[in-house]
Every structure is written in C-alpha cells, then in structure tokens.
C-alpha cells in the first residue's frame, strides 16, 4: 500500500505537467488570436494619406514653379491608424522640403538631362515584423561640401573635424532643430524647422531614421517603424516582490 502511494505521488507531477502544458498552449493560441484581432481592427492602408499628400504637392507646384509627380508603391501596406496619423506631418515636411529645396525648376532639370517633372516616391512594405518606408526625390540632393561649410559657419563643429565627417554623419546635421541650408526665408522654408520634426516623429514612435544626401540624385529618407502600437509582446517577471 505504501509503495502504491509513492507510485501515485511520483506520477502526480507528470500527469499535471501535461495538463499545464495543454492549458499553456490553449492560452497562447487565444492570446495570439486576440492580439491579431485587436491589431487588424486598427490597421489602415498607407493610401489613406495619398489624397492629402497629392493636394500638398499640387499646391506647392503652383507656388514654386515646379512640375512634380507623387508616386506611391505598396500603398495597400497596412499601418496602425495612430502611427499613420502621426506620420502625416512628417511626410508633409519631407515633401515640402523636396519640392522647395531639392527638385529643380523644369528648365534647370532639362539642362541637366532630367525630365522636366520631378518625382517623389513613397514606398512602403512590411519586413521582419517592422514597417519600412522610403521617401525619396530625384532632385539635386545635398552637396556634402556645401553642407560641411554650413555646419562650420554655424559653429556646430570646427573646420578640421568637419573635413573627416562621412556623408552619413553630415546628414545628421540636417535633422537638427533650427538648422537650414537656406540663406533667405521663403513662405515654404528657410525658417529652420521641418526635418527635425521628422526625426522627432520617427523616434517618438520607437523607430529608426536614416538620411542619404545623394548629390545630384535627390534626398532619401529610410524609416523603420513598428507595425502597431496597440499590442506588444512582453515578458513580465518579478524582482524582490515587484513586477
């Protein structure tokens, strides 16, 4: 009888461990389905921004004597509606900057062997659980030597240090508050705000931003962002009685 009791006690953990594993699998499946449902209910296609951005392009074309086409690739890519709402002003700043600073007037573009109209491309896709967005124009880009001169003139760095900066390091200055390459103030730019807002938005969403100068080819902004802010996978643990 004692032997039987010991055998039953030894079997008890195995039997209950199996039940616990089954329960854990079911709980994980339910949690995953619930999370997917919450996320899908909040998702909107990137094309929701298309009409607003197209209107902005049309408005600036007339004001700045430019011919510009806005092209969207991956416009059906789904994005959390809160992220989409917060990205709108960032996209608007990039587009305004591209038309005012980067894309040349039709005559200049023809003289440089480019089509008379400039193009702004917005491309989005899901990759590795993140949202990747690229915004680029085919304008003049930024001359690294001109940018080096500007950062030295504004006492942001000494001339000797500026000479050894890479293009990627130089591009960071364009994202600083109150930094502008414009000598004069216009209705659209030169006031020293705009691209710093882009970085604030991206970093505020927990994303990453890279800027490529591409002299003669146009600026490129590459953003890596979370797909959703509604649900995040987490590990909860306890330390000294505190969760």
């Amino acid at each position: 009888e004692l032997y039987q009791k010991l055998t039953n006690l030894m079997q008890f953990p195995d039997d209950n461990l199996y039940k616990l594993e089954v329960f854990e699998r079911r709980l994980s499946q339910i949690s995953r389905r619930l999370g997917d449902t919450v996320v899908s209910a909040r998702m909107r296609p990137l094309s929701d921004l298309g009409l607003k951005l197209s209107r902005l392009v049309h408005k600036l074309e007339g004001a700045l004597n430019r011919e510009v086409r806005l092209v969207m690739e991956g416009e059906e890519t789904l994005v959390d509606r809160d992220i989409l709402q917060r990205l709108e002003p960032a996209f608007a700043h990039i587009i305004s900057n591209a038309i005012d600073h980067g894309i040349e007037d039709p005559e200049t573009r023809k003289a440089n062997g480019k089509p008379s109209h400039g193009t702004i491309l917005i491309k989005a896709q899901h990759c590795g659980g993140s949202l990747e967005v690229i915004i680029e124009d085919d304008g003049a880009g930024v001359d690294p030597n001109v940018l080096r001169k500007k950062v030295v003139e504004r006492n942001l760095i000494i001339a000797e240090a500026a000479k050894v900066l890479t293009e990627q390091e130089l591009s960071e200055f364009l994202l600083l508050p109150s930094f502008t390459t414009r000598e004069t103030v216009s209705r659209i730019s030169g006031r020293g705000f705009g691209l710093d807002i882009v970085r604030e938005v991206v970093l505020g969403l927990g994303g990453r931003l890279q800027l490529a100068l591409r002299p003669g080819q146009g600026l490129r902004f590459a953003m890596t962002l979370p797909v959703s802010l509604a649900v995040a996978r987490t590990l909860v643990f306890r330390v000294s009685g505190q969760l």
Side-chain angles (χ1 to χ4, degrees):
E1 184 179 350
L2 178 60
Y3 176 78
Q4 185 62 42
K5 288 182 178 181
L6 287 174
T7 302
N8 292 339
L9 286 173
M10 293 175 64
Q11 187 66 30
F12 180 82
D14 293 337
D15 293 342
N16 284 275
L17 181 60
Y18 172 75
K19 294 178 182 178
L20 183 62
E21 289 175 346
V22 171
F23 176 78
E24 190 275 335
R25 285 197 297 270
R26 289 177 178 173
L27 181 61
S28 295
Q29 292 172 355
I30 293 172
S31 297
R32 186 163 52 250
R33 287 201 298 267
L34 180 60
D36 292 344
T37 300
V38 171
V39 171
S40 62
R42 296 172 57 88
M43 303 300 271
R44 298 295 306 162
L46 186 69
S47 58
D48 279 8
L49 292 182
L51 182 58
K52 294 179 181 179
L53 297 179
S54 295
R55 287 173 178 169
L56 175 62
V57 169
H58 182 69
K59 176 182 176 181
L60 295 178
E61 276 185 307
L64 298 171
N65 185 32
R66 300 289 192 271
E67 295 178 9
V68 184
R69 294 179 182 176
L70 178 65
V71 178
M72 297 186 73
E73 295 183 3
E75 61 266 32
E76 295 307 314
T77 301
L78 296 177
V79 187
D80 186 303
R81 62 171 180 264
D82 288 345
I83 293 179
L84 202 60
Q85 185 177 19
R86 291 168 66 176
L87 284 177
E88 183 181 341
F91 283 16
H93 280 294
I94 293 174
I95 289 174
S96 298
N97 183 78
I99 298 176
D100 193 25
H101 285 264
I103 295 178
E104 313 91 337
D105 61 75
E107 292 74 19
T108 301
R109 290 181 62 84
K110 288 179 180 178
N112 292 333
K114 295 182 178 181
S116 60
H117 67 271
T119 300
I120 297 175
L121 171 65
I122 301 177
K123 181 165 57 177
Q125 63 177 354
H126 290 157
C127 183
S130 297
L131 171 67
E132 293 189 352
V133 179
I134 292 176
I135 305 179
E136 62 184 26
D137 65 78
D138 65 347
V142 176
D143 187 330
N145 294 324
V146 172
L147 185 53
R148 282 192 176 90
K149 180 181 177 182
K150 293 294 182 183
V151 299
V152 172
E153 288 176 354
R154 286 163 172 75
N155 296 317
L156 296 174
I157 192 172
I158 60 174
E160 290 75 13
K163 291 178 182 178
V164 298
L165 290 177
T166 65
E167 286 193 15
Q168 184 60 51
E169 291 169 335
L170 273 172
S171 69
E172 293 295 318
F173 287 97
L174 291 175
L175 301 172
L176 291 177
S178 302
F179 185 86
T180 178
T181 57
R182 274 293 176 95
E183 298 292 346
T184 58
V185 174
S186 72
R187 289 182 301 165
I188 308 299
S189 65
R191 295 173 176 82
F193 59 86
L195 294 186
D196 59 305
I197 294 176
V198 176
R199 178 156 69 175
E200 287 179 9
V201 168
V202 173
L203 295 183
L205 290 169
R208 300 190 304 274
L209 174 66
Q210 284 190 320
L211 176 58
L213 302 180
R214 304 198 312 164
Q217 301 177 47
L219 281 178
R220 172 186 287 159
F221 294 80
M223 309 175 195
T224 302
L225 301 157
V227 174
S228 175
L229 298 178
V231 177
R233 296 183 63 84
T234 63
L235 175 66
V236 180
F237 56 94
R238 188 184 304 273
V239 178
S240 300
Q242 298 293 320
L243 288 178

